[in-house]
Amino acid sequence: LSAVDAMKSANLDFASTLVSNVAVALDGVTDALRNAGIQAENFRRQIRAVSKEGEDAGKSLGKLFEISKLPGLELEQTAKAVTALRATKMSAQDAHETVIQFGNALATVGAGTYELEGTVTALSQIMSKGKVYAEEIYQIAERLPQTRVIMEDAFGTADTEVLAKEGLRSI
């Protein structure tokens, strides 16, 4: 009888420990879900701040989640990048595509979100000024070495002074 009582007691202790561990895990999941919801709402607000009237912020948020799955990209930096580009009056589609292309290019040289942030900052400065300056090109080329080759292929030179004289404006 005492062996049976000992087994019942051990089973109760095990069950109690199991329930306690499950409750702790569920609290962690609840906190993670709450934080994810807060973060998603913050991203939605960022999108709305730079969106045109009638644009679907939910659709843009879905696109951000999709883009952030690409190598080297994270959701927070992707949202910041798209928001910065949209603030220059770039369309949502163009901002998404720009982030995808820069993200892909950065991934080929082993760069990631930090470099994306600097690249987008430089591109946003170009867009805001309406003119290409050497400083921004250097900022981009510093993070994305293939920039000079691309410029030479596209324009025949990577010299920003020559490009400025030829009347090259922002994209």
Side-chain angles (χ1 to χ4, degrees), residues 22-157:
V22 167
V24 167
L26 287 175
D27 279 346
V29 168
T30 301
D31 287 345
L33 287 172
R34 184 180 316 111
N35 290 339
I38 290 168
Q39 188 177 36
E41 182 56 30
N42 287 340
F43 295 145
R44 189 173 288 115
R45 285 182 185 152
Q46 279 180 293
I47 292 166
R48 276 195 217 122
V50 293
S51 295
K52 294 177 183 171
E53 191 173 324
E55 274 187 51
D56 184 356
K59 184 177 177 183
S60 288
L61 185 59
K63 187 68 176 174
L64 288 179
F65 281 115
E66 187 181 312
I67 294 168
S68 69
K69 293 176 186 177
L70 295 172
L73 298 179
E74 294 175 10
L75 183 58
E76 186 174 346
Q77 284 72 22
T78 300
K80 284 181 182 180
V82 168
T83 301
L85 293 170
R86 294 293 314 275
T88 67
K89 306 287 190 227
M90 187 181 278
S91 72
Q93 183 177 352
D94 287 347
H96 293 149
E97 188 60 29
T98 299
V99 171
I100 289 169
Q101 295 305 322
F102 272 108
N104 288 338
L106 288 164
T108 65
V109 294
T113 56
Y114 171 77
E115 290 83 6
L116 176 65
E117 205 169 315
T119 301
V120 168
T121 296
L123 183 59
S124 296
Q125 290 169 346
I126 291 169
M127 299 289 293
S128 296
K129 293 174 184 176
K131 191 172 180 183
V132 178
Y133 287 98
E135 180 181 336
E136 286 83 13
I137 296 300
Y138 294 143
Q139 289 176 27
I140 294 171
E142 189 176 278
R143 292 162 178 87
L144 195 60
Q146 58 269 57
T147 300
R148 293 199 175 283
V149 173
I150 293 167
M151 288 179 67
E152 287 173 0
D153 287 348
F155 305 113
T157 182

